[in-house]
Amino acid sequence: MTVVSGPVTRVAVVGYGYWGSKHVRVLSATAGVSVAVVDQDERRLAEAAARHPGVQLHRGLADVLDDVEGVVVATPAGSHAAVAAQALCAGRHVLVEKPLTTSVADAERLVDLARRAGVHLMTGHTFEYNPAVRKLREIVRSGALGRTLYIDAQRLSLGRYQPDVDVVWDLAPHDISIVSYLLDEMPASTSVWAQRNVGIRHNDVAHLRLDFPGSRVTAYLHVSWLSPRKVRTVTVVGTRRMAVYDDMSDNERIRIYDIGVDPATVDDGDGAHAVPMTYRTGDITSPYIAFEEPLALQDGHFVDCIHGRTRCLTPGRRGLDVVRVLDAAGRAAASGAPAGVGAAPVGLAAS
Ligand SMILES: NC(=O)c1ccc[n+]([C@@H]2O[C@H](COP(=O)([O-])OP(=O)(O)OC[C@H]3O[C@@H](n4cnc5c(N)ncnc54)[C@H](O)[C@@H]3O)[C@@H](O)[C@H]2O)c1
């Protein structure tokens, strides 16, 4: 039996849908945390009660705000700003699911509200808590791959069409967060090719190009709700080696390929028709990565932030930076031309 000492941290999870239910699962299993569930839909509350007997249930956040220290916002993206602002104005620490908001102005307002209230505003960039992504960052930053030439990320499946955002706002936050975390830099500009295939509202397939001038790296993101296979990969191509992070793999989530191509001088003038390249091939290795559920690590970090035990790794400022990229992507998709991200690239330490 685990004996928990110390104060109980009370957290309200707003939105008991697909993702909010996972927050409730991991927080309920976290020692010293008591969870209240808020959902405007009675059927969702009944599901929460059936799965977690004993949790408090509420139809509105106002009913429970006085009784909690932290609030997790897991409602659809379009409502994040209003729900988070309500909690911040009451002086509560807030963790908001990605994307932080659906406009730059709303994200700026939340960051400002948190600053004035002196509380944490944290963004749910879950992949920055994923041990495989952390390992990949370690590998990239160690120089083991050489200089990064480009990054290619794919996030495809027969996805869940969202009512209030398109596929870029729904899925690309993950890859923008991963790629900028690997490079420790936000992109300065983006180009987007997007397409609406099903329904009348939102693009469901998109390709984004992100330009990182400081690192001299280009990242290509492919996001889709309309693809037959579930693909979750990030490929980092370096001058010396290449690494593939495959989130669908059970035991080889990162593979490092000791391969590459080098330009070679052609000694023989008569052989000038030959392609002057030399190919290197070597081992494929896969580092051991112990499994820890990223959402549990993220929510545990939120609880630590509530208690002032740590600096927030994915603060609201970081969510704002990603929203700026998404906003630029919207402009780029509409105009067909590259769009500037609209703020000087900032290091991740600026929060
Ligand atoms: N980090 C990740 O990996 C990840 C994965 C999936 C979804 N998400 C994010 O989680 C959020 C929720 O997505 P989902 O797929 O679970 O949505 P969902 O539609 O399955 O669930 C949303 C729930 O919120 C409730 N709700 C809506 N507005 C509310 C309000 N104002 N007050 C109280 N309850 C309200 C709805 O009744 C519903 O139960 C989105 O922001 C999404 O982007 C994050």
Side-chain angles (χ1 to χ4, degrees):
M1 189 177 79
T2 310
V3 178
V4 178
S5 59
V8 171
T9 313
R10 295 160 303 171
V11 178
V13 176
V14 190
Y16 189 82
Y18 165 69
W19 198 246
S21 64
K22 296 183 194 299
H23 279 286
V24 173
R25 172 175 56 74
V26 301
L27 284 165
S28 300
T30 303
V33 174
S34 107
V35 183
V37 177
V38 179
D39 202 298
Q40 60 193 16
D41 185 333
E42 288 286 358
R43 290 165 304 177
R44 296 288 171 89
L45 291 178
E47 280 174 35
R51 199 163 299 170
H52 303 279
V55 294
Q56 288 179 40
L57 305 172
H58 301 275
R59 289 284 302 273
L61 179 57
D63 301 339
V64 73
L65 259 184
D66 285 346
D67 302 327
V68 296
E69 286 91 40
V71 174
V72 175
V73 181
T75 58
S79 56
H80 287 181
V83 178
Q86 184 184 1
L88 291 170
C89 288
R92 300 297 173 259
H93 301 282
V94 180
L95 163 57
V96 185
E97 261 311 327
K98 61 79 202 165
L100 177 59
T101 59
T102 52
S103 77
V104 171
D106 278 345
E108 286 173 342
R109 179 162 166 263
L110 292 188
V111 170
D112 192 48
L113 281 175
R115 187 183 54 76
R116 286 165 189 256
V119 294
H120 284 289
L121 169 64
M122 177 169 158
T123 313
H125 289 166
T126 322
F127 282 92
E128 292 178 45
Y129 298 86
N130 185 312
V133 174
R134 289 177 167 182
K135 186 71 185 176
L136 183 60
R137 175 179 151 100
E138 202 181 295
I139 292 165
V140 169
R141 302 197 72 76
S142 74
L145 306 181
R147 184 171 73 76
T148 302
L149 295 171
Y150 76 92
I151 300 177
D152 182 85
Q154 296 186 304
R155 190 168 298 277
L156 326 172
S157 66
L158 211 53
R160 303 172 78 236
Y161 280 71
Q162 300 294 322
D164 52 355
V165 289
D166 72 1
V167 72
V168 172
W169 281 83
D170 183 40
L171 298 184
H174 291 311
D175 299 299
I176 296 167
S177 128
I178 292 172
V179 171
S180 57
Y181 175 67
L182 295 180
L183 297 173
D184 208 2
E185 181 185 359
M186 294 309 295
S189 60
T190 180
S191 307
V192 178
W193 297 263
Q195 183 173 327
R196 185 181 71 220
N197 297 282
V198 179
I200 53 167
R201 301 174 83 170
H202 298 307
N203 291 324
D204 48 15
V205 176
H207 294 258
L208 289 78
R209 172 189 156 135
L210 306 176
D211 302 303
F212 296 84
S215 330
R216 291 189 293 139
V217 170
T218 305
Y220 299 91
L221 317 184
H222 179 191
V223 288
S224 176
W225 287 332
L226 193 63
S227 195
R229 285 193 314 128
K230 185 164 181 173
V231 179
R232 301 278 186 264
T233 58
V234 177
T235 303
V236 182
V237 174
T239 48
R240 291 176 57 207
R241 296 188 182 87
M242 306 181 189
V244 178
Y245 157 48
D246 182 355
D247 197 52
M248 302 309 295
S249 171
D250 287 335
N251 51 12
E252 291 190 334
R253 279 181 295 154
I254 293 183
R255 287 177 143 215
I256 301 168
Y257 294 74
D258 190 2
I259 60 174
V261 185
D262 295 314
T265 50
V266 179
D267 298 332
D268 174 7
D270 293 340
H273 60 278
V275 180
M277 294 291 178
T278 49
Y279 290 80
R280 288 178 281 109
T281 51
D283 291 342
I284 301 170
T285 54
S286 180
Y288 171 73
I289 299 166
F291 181 78
E292 288 181 278
E293 186 178 357
L295 189 67
L297 293 174
Q298 175 195 279
D299 287 6
H301 182 67
F302 179 51
V303 173
D304 285 343
C305 288
I306 289 174
H307 291 292
R309 292 195 279 253
T310 181
R311 181 178 70 85
C312 184
L313 296 174
T314 51
R317 176 60 200 253
R318 176 117 179 84
L320 165 61
D321 283 345
V322 170
V323 167
R324 282 192 209 284
V325 180
L326 295 166
D327 177 72
R331 285 184 275 117
S335 70
V341 166
V346 287
L348 302 190
S351 59

